[in-house]
Amino acid sequence: MKILKRILTVTMCIGLLFSGNTTFAHSGRTDSNGGHHDYNNKSGLGSYHYHHGLGPHLHPGGVCPYSASSTTKNRNTTTSKKVSKYYMSSTIRKVQTKLNKLGYKCGKADGIFGKKTKKAIKKYQKDERLTVSGNINKALLEKLNIRI
């Protein structure tokens, strides 16, 4: 009986070892820049992206679009770039909330400036006869009656 239990246990362990895993999470390890590689592009952002407490996103020009300031490292110096007040996550969230209430579907008001948000802003700008850029600017905030 002991041999039968051992054989069954070993068989189950081998089965679990070789069973297919459909989970697509990553280990959470990041490189010295705070990002990680996603070679299979499961995030849809390409082969490299960031999280740091927010959803997966890119850092265009080395600057995080969701932080008030970001540090960029050059070869010998470190400089700090200030992100526009229009693209702070609190401002983006206010714009998203207002646009959703007005029927311009930009998705969840999460403070992340994504494709849906840009598309909703363009449609709103066009409907309100503003310069259509898809960007958050002073004119858009005034028209939406948002103060920052």
Side-chain angles (χ1 to χ4, degrees):
M1 190 55 109
K2 280 186 171 183
I3 294 174
L4 184 58
K5 283 184 180 180
R6 280 189 179 175
I7 291 172
L8 182 60
T9 303
V10 169
T11 305
M12 288 175 59
C13 288
I14 291 172
L16 288 172
L17 184 65
F18 292 106
S19 67
N21 185 358
T22 57
T23 305
F24 298 117
H26 59 76
S27 64
R29 291 183 298 231
T30 60
D31 61 17
S32 63
N33 295 321
H36 74 97
H37 289 281
D38 178 14
Y39 293 112
N40 295 325
N41 197 21
K42 298 214 184 296
S43 66
L45 294 171
S47 64
Y48 188 83
H49 65 264
Y50 301 83
H51 291 272
H52 59 82
L54 302 165
H57 63 279
L58 300 174
H59 287 189
V63 178
C64 179
Y66 310 119
S67 65
S69 64
S70 182
T71 302
T72 309
K73 294 181 181 179
N74 296 334
R75 282 186 179 181
N76 300 322
T77 61
T78 300
T79 58
S80 183
K81 291 183 180 180
K82 185 110 172 133
V83 174
S84 168
K85 62 184 177 183
Y86 300 127
Y87 288 94
M88 290 175 46
S89 62
S90 58
T91 305
I92 296 169
R93 193 175 299 113
K94 289 176 185 177
V95 169
Q96 290 169 327
T97 301
K98 195 74 157 204
L99 288 173
N100 281 332
K101 284 182 181 177
L102 294 171
Y104 296 89
K105 298 177 184 176
C106 56
K108 181 181 174 186
D110 55 8
I112 298 173
F113 189 81
K115 290 178 184 177
K116 283 184 178 180
T117 302
K118 188 171 185 93
K119 186 176 179 181
I121 289 172
K122 281 183 174 181
K123 184 159 178 32
Y124 179 79
Q125 287 171 329
K126 182 179 178 187
D127 292 349
E128 295 297 318
R129 293 185 173 87
L130 297 171
T131 302
V132 178
S133 64
N135 296 324
I136 299 173
N137 54 32
K138 186 177 179 180
L140 175 72
L141 295 178
E142 285 177 358
K143 196 71 171 174
L144 289 171
N145 198 25
I146 294 174
R147 290 185 172 200
I148 55 171

